[in-house]
Amino acid sequence: MKRPRIVVGIKWVPNTQAVRFDPKTGTLIREGVPSIVNPHDLDAIELALKTREKYGGEIIVVTMAPPGAEEGLRHVIGMGVDRAILVSDRVFAGSDTLATSYTLAKTIERIGRVDLVFFGQETIDSSTAHIPAQVASWLDLPYIYYVESIEKLELKENKVVVKRKLEDRYEWYEVELPVVIGVAMHSNPPRPISLTNKLRAVTEKPIEVWTNKQLGLDPRCIGLRGSPTIVSKVTWQPEIPRKRKIYQGNPKEAVKWLIKHLEEEKVLP
Amino acid sequence: MSKKKEVNCEELCPEWECTQPSEYSGIWVVGEIDETEETISEPSLQMLTPANYIASKLGVEVEGLLLGYDKELLEKAAHEMIYHGANRVRILTSNKLKPYIAEVYARIISQIVDKYKPEVVFFPATMKGRELAPYVANTLRAGITADCTQFDVDEKTGDVLMIRPPFAAILLAYIKTPTRRPQIGTARPNVFPKPPRDASRKGEILWEDEKEYKIPRPRTRLVRVEYMKREEIPIEKAEYIVSGGRGVGTLEGFKMLEELAELLGGVVAGSRKAVDLGLIPHDKQVGQTGKAVKAKLYIAVGISGAAQHVVGIRECRVVVAINKDPDAPIFKHADYGIVGDWREIVTELIKALRERTKKAS
């Protein structure tokens, strides 16, 4: 019987919650800020693991990142994925989402037969949600966002039924394979890391590193040159002027003070 | 404005069609139909605000684009776009566009954009817009910038500056696309106010002929829809919001916030921490990775006020913060702050509001 081959694309991101700001120099303090696997990608890994439990098959994780991301790949190997590919080369530096999605699409092509491609719906560092649609466009595949679950996978019929959640409704779609899926945020809380699996990362070495030697991509299509958008400058975010009136003391008096002001502002119902 | 240098086709990725920026002109807004409300969606109209601003700076016009299957509804939506500032609206209607399938819509939008070559295309970053825009951008090999909070024009080159807060939300990155057109940008709902409506405004409605476009065979089929019961207004539409963070800590704590919200006729929301702790669902998260809100009154309870959170409350009229830590950054982003135990303060606030209603009746 045919088993599904699932690719999950993940991103190694700075832990934005830990980023600090240096008011003296006006810069972000990124040193010492740990990087993590984008938390929303863990939902995608979890959905892949659930799918493999039900239908068998193989899970291949792909990330485009500097070598440090190996730590993140070991983390997801700890969750139980079969293979991990680190796409890493200086020539990919400076990629915007067009160049990134191109590189990822070419990586997926090189993997060979793939039935399902999962991504976390967005990343915590840039939260554009571009990559799933862009990868689908490069590979000429159907795509679908905000998916919570795989309802039915029929490899023989070449189709999958997925359920997704919009603001006010659930929708079920039947999609032809292969398909690119954006996995909804918070939809599949990740399982804990198993020590046995973690050891596999060391003993079996399932991490492969692919540079542009393997991929052979035209330098005009990758990195800075393959990126139509550029960051022309960075400035402070102007603050919204607020009154900043503070009351410290007895709660009852504080509330009286607050209500008086809110009445003056005419914002109470 | 100085004339742009010609793009050297030899230097371009061979996967991109070589076009010159000078071939493109005009600002487009891709409108979205709100199927439940049976009209144009609010976020689509909001995008006309930056579109009009950029158009006036560049001395060009604003055009709307609408796709769908209900002719009457689309025409009504087109008029709304005109009343809110579009100079004309292009409509493509076809039975093959029922129901909405992202890939099908995105491919047709790409063809229409490719035919008329606007220099800028804006999408509202609604759930559907976030799904459509990157596919359209990629099909055209165009640059795209998501979730902008401002747009401007680089006076020297005529490039549009897509301005967005990068990951810490304290800074603003100015992003431009010097050599590719169209320049595609999105903004989240409520980041821009809707332009004033003027029903006497006139504009052209242009009907596109579906035969001129390749409507792809859908590889995706909608098989079932189930509407969720919505007892509450979504947070992005609420006038009163009581928002809780890590400081509130428990589900039982959020019950108290609900009581307060109910008294105000509002809703409960929360910070990313509250979502991570499972205290509220993600669709009630305020901030960069959640929603931007535009409440008349926003009460932040036990929220420290990370930049990623406060970026979502910029459009609120009055912000109140309740926190036990006098140094919490939220106080810098609040009009009125109370330092103290949130339970005591919220209890008193509930009491005071009850008495206030009693007096009024």
Side-chain angles (χ1 to χ4, degrees), chain A residues 13-17 36-40 122-127, chain B residues 167 272 288-289 308:
Chain A
V13 298
N15 186 353
T16 51
Q17 298 283 353
I36 52 171
V37 177
N38 170 42
H40 304 310
E122 59 183 56
T123 60
I124 55 163
D125 62 335
S126 53
S127 57
Chain B
F167 67 98
R272 191 185 132 191
Q288 201 181 13
T289 55
Q308 291 93 331

Side-chain angles (χ1 to χ4, degrees), chain A residues 105-136:
Chain A
K106 291 294 164 187
T107 304
I108 293 166
E109 260 178 16
R110 194 170 186 265
I111 289 171
R113 195 204 103 208
V114 170
D115 303 293
L116 297 161
V117 180
F118 290 171
F119 288 100
Q121 186 56 60
E122 59 183 56
T123 60
I124 55 163
D125 62 335
S126 53
S127 57
T128 66
H130 288 170
I131 297 295
Q134 287 176 316
V135 167

Side-chain angles (χ1 to χ4, degrees), chain A residues 26 28 231-237, chain B residues 164 166 170-174:
Chain A
L28 295 176
V231 177
S232 65
K233 66 169 180 177
V234 175
T235 65
W236 292 87
Q237 165 99 272
Chain B
R164 78 185 305 258
I170 313 163
L171 302 175
L172 284 176
Y174 289 61

Side-chain angles (χ1 to χ4, degrees), chain B residues 109-350:
Chain B
I109 293 168
S110 306
Q111 291 173 49
I112 301 176
V113 169
D114 197 36
K115 181 174 173 186
Y116 294 102
K117 300 203 172 359
E119 61 202 292
V120 175
V121 181
F122 285 151
F123 287 83
T126 54
M127 288 186 95
K128 279 184 186 168
R130 289 169 75 76
E131 179 176 50
L132 285 173
Y135 197 95
V136 171
N138 208 83
T139 306
L140 301 167
R141 316 291 190 241
I144 173 169
T145 309
D147 301 343
C148 299
T149 53
Q150 291 171 49
F151 295 97
D152 220 321
V153 172
D154 180 332
E155 306 274 351
K156 276 195 221 125
T157 58
D159 292 329
V160 171
L161 297 167
M162 311 262 177
I163 306 167
R164 78 185 305 258
F167 67 98
I170 313 163
L171 302 175
L172 284 176
Y174 289 61
I175 293 165
K176 58 182 184 179
T177 317
T179 56
R180 288 301 282 178
R181 294 290 181 270
Q183 307 157 86
I184 300 184
T186 75
R188 298 265 187 145
N190 294 339
V191 167
F192 292 99
K194 178 169 80 168
R197 184 178 191 269
D198 175 1
S200 69
R201 274 187 60 110
K202 298 274 179 290
E204 234 179 319
I205 293 181
L206 304 161
W207 296 89
E208 289 295 309
D209 182 358
E210 68 169 297
K211 285 196 237 53
E212 287 186 33
Y213 301 98
K214 272 183 261 152
I215 301 186
R217 178 187 66 85
R219 296 183 280 190
T220 306
R221 201 164 61 86
L222 178 64
V223 286
R224 195 175 137 209
V225 183
E226 203 178 282
Y227 289 87
M228 281 177 250
K229 262 194 225 134
R230 247 266 139 83
E231 285 110 23
E232 286 190 331
I233 355 164
I235 62 164
E236 65 273 25
K237 290 186 180 161
E239 289 214 305
Y240 293 91
I241 297 176
V242 181
S243 197
R246 190 191 353 216
V248 175
T250 59
L251 281 171
E252 175 258 322
F254 266 79
K255 278 258 153 61
M256 264 178 86
L257 301 191
E258 247 164 59
E259 201 181 332
L260 177 57
E262 215 168 285
L263 271 171
L264 292 164
V267 298
V268 170
S271 65
R272 191 185 132 191
K273 265 278 166 303
V275 176
D276 287 347
L277 293 168
L279 299 170
I280 49 150
H282 179 243
D283 64 346
K284 293 186 178 182
Q285 183 191 325
V286 173
Q288 201 181 13
T289 55
K291 288 170 173 172
V293 293
K294 50 168 184 183
K296 205 191 260 182
L297 176 61
Y298 184 86
I299 305 179
V301 186
I303 292 177
S304 65
Q308 291 93 331
H309 182 77
V310 296
V311 78
I313 60 173
R314 297 173 70 89
E315 289 289 313
C316 291
R317 228 193 88 206
V318 172
V319 174
V320 171
I322 299 169
N323 205 296
K324 67 169 189 236
D325 174 10
D327 296 325
I330 191 72
F331 288 122
K332 290 204 188 83
H333 303 279
D335 296 290
Y336 304 101
I338 300 178
V339 181
D341 179 79
W342 75 266
R343 268 173 203 279
E344 289 176 16
I345 295 156
V346 169
T347 310
E348 287 299 331
L349 191 53
I350 289 172

